[in-house]
Amino acid sequence: MSLPMEMSPQHWVTHVFSSKAAREGGVVRRKIRDIERYVGLDAFLLELDRRGFSAVENAGQLVIFCNQEPVRIASGTILSRKSVPNL
């Protein structure tokens, strides 16, 4: 779905966090250039903090965890069955 270029910053933030994934405490992904265009990265990061959400950045994308659970950066060596007991 494309969004109108003239969307207000608050409307854009509401749109992002009203998605089914966000409402259910899941994950949403947005291009950083879109965040900058619609609301500004600093303002968006303040909104994440206000909501208690976390995000990670990779390759121009922001992956937003729409819950207040801790986030761990994982790799195969960290999460292999040999290195993590009780999986």
Side-chain angles (χ1 to χ4, degrees):
M1 165 175 48
S2 65
L3 298 172
M5 196 60 187
E6 297 301 319
M7 183 179 289
S8 75
Q10 184 56 47
H11 187 245
W12 190 86
V13 169
T14 300
H15 178 76
V16 169
F17 294 117
S18 64
S19 69
K20 183 178 178 182
R23 289 191 322 266
E24 293 177 351
V27 175
V28 296
R29 176 181 51 89
R30 293 293 182 273
K31 291 181 181 180
I32 291 175
R33 73 168 189 229
D34 290 342
I35 295 169
E36 290 172 339
R37 179 174 58 182
Y38 285 108
V39 70
L41 186 57
D42 289 341
F44 190 75
L45 295 175
L46 286 172
E47 181 64 18
L48 289 183
D49 286 344
R50 187 185 75 76
R51 292 171 182 260
F53 294 171
S54 300
V56 295
E57 181 269 332
N58 180 265
Q61 300 279 326
L62 198 65
V63 180
I64 305 151
F65 303 93
C66 299
N67 59 62
Q68 296 177 353
E69 298 296 320
V71 175
R72 297 182 300 161
I73 303 299
S75 70
T77 57
I78 293 172
L79 292 180
S80 72
R81 287 195 169 277
K82 293 178 185 175
S83 66
V84 179
N86 301 323
L87 280 183

